[in-house]
């Protein structure tokens, strides 16, 4: 399959911004329009897969739910396995989990510890990094299961919210396909 020719600027133009969703003042960066465009989806996955390949990924981990869309496609493109990082109560086996703080309240993520062999290099993939709370909790959980987490990939970075900087402080290299100013 030939690589789709869409520049990062063209990909950025495919992301729709919806003001005041889900709360007043939030600019929601909606990837529905990007994934609904066949070249946009293919080019995004192609760029992410190149980055994951360079990072030496043994497996891809994707965060529920939009991380599943990009992460699973990257795993298929590279011919490697995919680990879903799930919201609580979804996985049928004995899980390990982590609670983490949100702006209001807390949330929890769970994985199947049997999905990871100790020392496996797992590259995390999600649609967007904002504060980095979700990605940091995922990295901590995957590390507890024995994974080596040194790389995380996102389609969209909101640099003003500082998440990428927080991940780098935790020893995780961050690559993104595009940035949006503000939150
Ligand atoms: P965070 O844990 O703060 O880095 O938030 C990351 C998660 O929240 C991502 O999985 C996104 O899907 C979602 N998210 C946060 N802010 C936005 C936004 N402005 N637009 C779209 N999704 C967002």
């Amino acid at each position: 399959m030939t690589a789709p020719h869409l520049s990062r600027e063209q990909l950025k133009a495919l992301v729709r911004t919806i003001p005041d969703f889900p709360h007043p003042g939030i600019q929601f960066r909606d990837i529905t329009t990007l994934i609904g465009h066949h070249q946009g989806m293919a080019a995004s996955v192609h760029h992410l897969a190149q980055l994951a390949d360079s990072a030496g990924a043994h497996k891809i981990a994707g965060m529920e739910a939009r991380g599943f869309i990009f992460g699973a496609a990257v795993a298929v493109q590279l011919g490697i396995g995919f680990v879903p990082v799930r919201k609580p109560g979804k996985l049928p086996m004995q899980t390990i989990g982590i609670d983490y703080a949100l702006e209001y309240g807390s949330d929890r993520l769970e994985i199947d510890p049997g999905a990871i062999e100790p020392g496996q290099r797992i590259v995390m993939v999600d649609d967007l990094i904002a504060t980095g709370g979700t990605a940091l909790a995922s990295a901590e959980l995957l590390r507890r299961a024995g994974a080596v987490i040194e790389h995380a990939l996102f389609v969209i970075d909101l640099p003003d919210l500082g998440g990428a900087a927080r991940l780098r402080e935790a020893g995780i290299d961050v690559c993104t396909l595009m940035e949006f100013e503000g939150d």
Side-chain angles (χ1 to χ4, degrees), residues 58-80:
H58 295 137
K59 274 189 173 174
I60 301 294
M63 285 79 105
E64 187 166 350
R66 281 167 273 160
F68 293 177
I69 299 167
F70 294 102
V74 167
V76 170
Q77 183 137 335
L78 295 182
I80 58 179

Short mmCIF file of all heavy atoms in Angstrom, two decimals, residues 58-80:
data_model
loop_
_atom_site.label_atom_id
_atom_site.label_comp_id
_atom_site.label_asym_id
_atom_site.label_seq_id
_atom_site.Cartn_x
_atom_site.Cartn_y
_atom_site.Cartn_z
N HIS A 58 7.28 -3.26 20.63
CA HIS A 58 6.91 -4.68 20.60
C HIS A 58 5.39 -4.83 20.57
O HIS A 58 4.85 -5.82 20.08
CB HIS A 58 7.43 -5.40 21.85
CG HIS A 58 8.92 -5.44 21.93
ND1 HIS A 58 9.62 -5.21 23.10
CD2 HIS A 58 9.86 -5.69 20.97
CE1 HIS A 58 10.92 -5.33 22.86
NE2 HIS A 58 11.09 -5.61 21.58
N LYS A 59 4.70 -3.85 21.19
CA LYS A 59 3.23 -3.83 21.23
C LYS A 59 2.79 -2.37 21.30
O LYS A 59 3.58 -1.49 21.69
CB LYS A 59 2.68 -4.56 22.46
CG LYS A 59 2.51 -6.05 22.27
CD LYS A 59 1.77 -6.68 23.44
CE LYS A 59 1.47 -8.15 23.10
NZ LYS A 59 0.90 -8.86 24.24
N ILE A 60 1.52 -2.14 20.95
CA ILE A 60 0.91 -0.82 21.09
C ILE A 60 -0.14 -0.90 22.20
O ILE A 60 -0.91 -1.87 22.26
CB ILE A 60 0.20 -0.40 19.78
CG1 ILE A 60 1.18 -0.37 18.60
CG2 ILE A 60 -0.52 0.95 19.96
CD1 ILE A 60 2.27 0.68 18.69
N ALA A 61 -0.19 0.12 23.05
CA ALA A 61 -1.29 0.25 24.02
C ALA A 61 -2.11 1.47 23.64
O ALA A 61 -1.56 2.54 23.35
CB ALA A 61 -0.75 0.41 25.44
N GLY A 62 -3.44 1.31 23.62
CA GLY A 62 -4.33 2.42 23.30
C GLY A 62 -5.29 2.67 24.44
O GLY A 62 -5.75 1.73 25.09
N MET A 63 -5.57 3.94 24.70
CA MET A 63 -6.46 4.30 25.79
C MET A 63 -7.89 4.44 25.29
O MET A 63 -8.15 5.05 24.26
CB MET A 63 -6.02 5.64 26.41
CG MET A 63 -4.77 5.52 27.28
SD MET A 63 -3.26 5.45 26.30
CE MET A 63 -2.62 7.09 26.59
N GLU A 64 -8.83 3.85 26.08
CA GLU A 64 -10.24 3.92 25.73
C GLU A 64 -10.72 5.38 25.69
O GLU A 64 -10.41 6.14 26.60
CB GLU A 64 -11.06 3.13 26.77
CG GLU A 64 -12.51 3.01 26.40
CD GLU A 64 -13.24 1.95 27.26
OE1 GLU A 64 -12.60 1.18 27.99
OE2 GLU A 64 -14.47 1.91 27.14
N ALA A 65 -11.46 5.78 24.68
CA ALA A 65 -11.92 4.97 23.58
C ALA A 65 -11.24 5.36 22.27
O ALA A 65 -11.03 4.53 21.39
CB ALA A 65 -13.42 5.14 23.40
N ARG A 66 -10.86 6.63 22.14
CA ARG A 66 -10.34 7.05 20.83
C ARG A 66 -8.93 6.54 20.57
O ARG A 66 -8.49 6.47 19.42
CB ARG A 66 -10.46 8.57 20.68
CG ARG A 66 -11.88 8.98 20.33
CD ARG A 66 -12.12 10.46 20.50
NE ARG A 66 -12.51 10.75 21.86
CZ ARG A 66 -12.43 11.94 22.44
NH1 ARG A 66 -11.97 12.95 21.76
NH2 ARG A 66 -12.81 12.11 23.69
N GLY A 67 -8.22 6.19 21.65
CA GLY A 67 -6.91 5.58 21.47
C GLY A 67 -6.99 4.21 20.83
O GLY A 67 -6.03 3.71 20.25
N PHE A 68 -8.18 3.56 20.95
CA PHE A 68 -8.37 2.25 20.30
C PHE A 68 -8.36 2.40 18.77
O PHE A 68 -7.88 1.53 18.05
CB PHE A 68 -9.72 1.62 20.69
CG PHE A 68 -9.84 1.21 22.13
CD1 PHE A 68 -11.04 0.69 22.59
CD2 PHE A 68 -8.78 1.34 23.02
CE1 PHE A 68 -11.18 0.29 23.92
CE2 PHE A 68 -8.91 0.96 24.35
CZ PHE A 68 -10.13 0.44 24.80
N ILE A 69 -8.95 3.49 18.30
CA ILE A 69 -9.10 3.68 16.84
C ILE A 69 -7.73 3.78 16.19
O ILE A 69 -7.42 3.05 15.23
CB ILE A 69 -9.92 4.96 16.56
CG1 ILE A 69 -11.32 4.84 17.16
CG2 ILE A 69 -9.96 5.26 15.06
CD1 ILE A 69 -12.10 6.15 17.20
N PHE A 70 -6.89 4.67 16.71
CA PHE A 70 -5.58 4.89 16.11
C PHE A 70 -4.61 3.78 16.51
O PHE A 70 -3.83 3.29 15.69
CB PHE A 70 -5.02 6.25 16.51
CG PHE A 70 -5.82 7.39 15.95
CD1 PHE A 70 -6.73 8.08 16.74
CD2 PHE A 70 -5.69 7.76 14.62
CE1 PHE A 70 -7.47 9.13 16.22
CE2 PHE A 70 -6.45 8.81 14.09
CZ PHE A 70 -7.33 9.49 14.89
N GLY A 71 -4.64 3.38 17.80
CA GLY A 71 -3.67 2.41 18.29
C GLY A 71 -3.82 1.05 17.62
O GLY A 71 -2.82 0.43 17.23
N ALA A 72 -5.06 0.58 17.47
CA ALA A 72 -5.26 -0.73 16.85
C ALA A 72 -4.82 -0.70 15.38
O ALA A 72 -4.21 -1.66 14.88
CB ALA A 72 -6.73 -1.14 16.97
N ALA A 73 -5.10 0.42 14.69
CA ALA A 73 -4.70 0.52 13.28
C ALA A 73 -3.17 0.54 13.15
O ALA A 73 -2.61 -0.08 12.24
CB ALA A 73 -5.31 1.78 12.66
N VAL A 74 -2.49 1.21 14.07
CA VAL A 74 -1.02 1.24 14.05
C VAL A 74 -0.47 -0.17 14.30
O VAL A 74 0.46 -0.62 13.61
CB VAL A 74 -0.48 2.23 15.12
CG1 VAL A 74 1.01 2.05 15.34
CG2 VAL A 74 -0.80 3.67 14.72
N ALA A 75 -1.06 -0.88 15.27
CA ALA A 75 -0.60 -2.24 15.57
C ALA A 75 -0.74 -3.15 14.35
O ALA A 75 0.17 -3.91 14.02
CB ALA A 75 -1.38 -2.81 16.76
N VAL A 76 -1.86 -3.04 13.66
CA VAL A 76 -2.07 -3.87 12.45
C VAL A 76 -1.04 -3.51 11.39
O VAL A 76 -0.44 -4.38 10.76
CB VAL A 76 -3.51 -3.68 11.91
CG1 VAL A 76 -3.65 -4.33 10.54
CG2 VAL A 76 -4.53 -4.28 12.88
N GLN A 77 -0.81 -2.21 11.20
CA GLN A 77 0.15 -1.77 10.18
C GLN A 77 1.55 -2.31 10.46
O GLN A 77 2.29 -2.66 9.55
CB GLN A 77 0.17 -0.24 10.10
CG GLN A 77 1.09 0.27 9.02
CD GLN A 77 0.48 1.43 8.23
OE1 GLN A 77 -0.74 1.57 8.14
NE2 GLN A 77 1.33 2.25 7.66
N LEU A 78 1.91 -2.40 11.76
CA LEU A 78 3.26 -2.87 12.12
C LEU A 78 3.32 -4.38 12.32
O LEU A 78 4.40 -4.92 12.54
CB LEU A 78 3.74 -2.16 13.39
CG LEU A 78 3.96 -0.65 13.28
CD1 LEU A 78 4.49 -0.10 14.59
CD2 LEU A 78 4.92 -0.30 12.14
N GLY A 79 2.17 -5.04 12.31
CA GLY A 79 2.16 -6.50 12.52
C GLY A 79 2.49 -6.88 13.96
O GLY A 79 3.18 -7.90 14.19
N ILE A 80 2.04 -6.07 14.93
CA ILE A 80 2.29 -6.37 16.34
C ILE A 80 0.96 -6.35 17.10
O ILE A 80 -0.07 -5.96 16.54
CB ILE A 80 3.31 -5.37 16.97
CG1 ILE A 80 2.80 -3.93 16.85
CG2 ILE A 80 4.66 -5.53 16.29
CD1 ILE A 80 3.76 -2.90 17.48
#
